[in-house]
Amino acid sequence: MNENAFLGIFPFAFLSLWLAITTILGVFSGWRALSDRFPDSGETALYTLHFQSGALGKGSVINPWGNVNYGNCLRFDVCKSGLRVKVWRIFGPFERPFLVPWDRIVVEERKILFLRYFR
């Protein structure tokens, strides 16, 4: 293949692959189901946490590997009625934010050796 042809095709191939992968991860994680179940109301945030990490999903027939990890690319907005979750547009170009009501959130503390984490 000619080098100029490669340079002309590469950006479109990369963008197509990126969009396909982020869309598949959005489906595997359950993000789409959560945004349908808990639509964002546009409520004003009382407090915002940037660059947060999290994992969505629990494994299924279409995703036998389990969770989809979102490392340092989530934003949590604390609102009066619940917790809004957003992902950076570059990592979820088609993923809408969702707002989970406070009464639907359950937090469990876990320990591994000397480390505490919350699930």
Side-chain angles (χ1 to χ4, degrees):
M1 180 188 281
N2 171 330
E3 184 177 326
N4 290 334
F6 175 76
L7 291 176
I9 293 172
F10 178 75
F12 298 107
F14 180 81
L15 183 61
S16 299
L17 187 62
W18 185 266
L19 291 174
I21 290 171
T22 56
T23 301
I24 289 168
L25 289 175
V27 171
F28 280 1
S29 69
W31 190 286
R32 300 249 165 120
L34 285 169
S35 64
D36 289 342
R37 187 171 181 188
F38 303 112
D40 184 16
S41 63
E43 185 177 343
T44 304
L46 302 173
Y47 188 74
T48 300
L49 299 163
H50 294 277
F51 307 110
Q52 299 300 305
S53 297
L56 288 175
K58 57 183 175 181
S60 66
V61 174
I62 62 169
N63 179 17
W65 303 282
N67 295 334
V68 174
N69 293 309
Y70 292 92
N72 297 320
C73 65
L74 294 176
R75 181 177 121 183
F76 298 136
D77 291 339
V78 177
C79 302
K80 251 185 179 178
S81 63
L83 183 69
R84 180 183 302 121
V85 182
K86 294 182 175 184
V87 65
W88 287 5
R89 279 289 159 213
I90 194 165
F91 296 115
F94 305 115
E95 308 309 336
R96 298 182 319 262
F98 57 89
L99 181 78
V100 182
W102 290 117
D103 61 347
R104 301 300 305 253
I105 296 175
V106 177
V107 179
E108 300 172 351
E109 181 180 2
R110 302 264 176 115
K111 291 182 183 181
I112 297 179
L113 296 176
F114 302 106
L115 301 174
R116 284 184 354 174
Y117 72 97
F118 298 92
R119 181 177 179 175

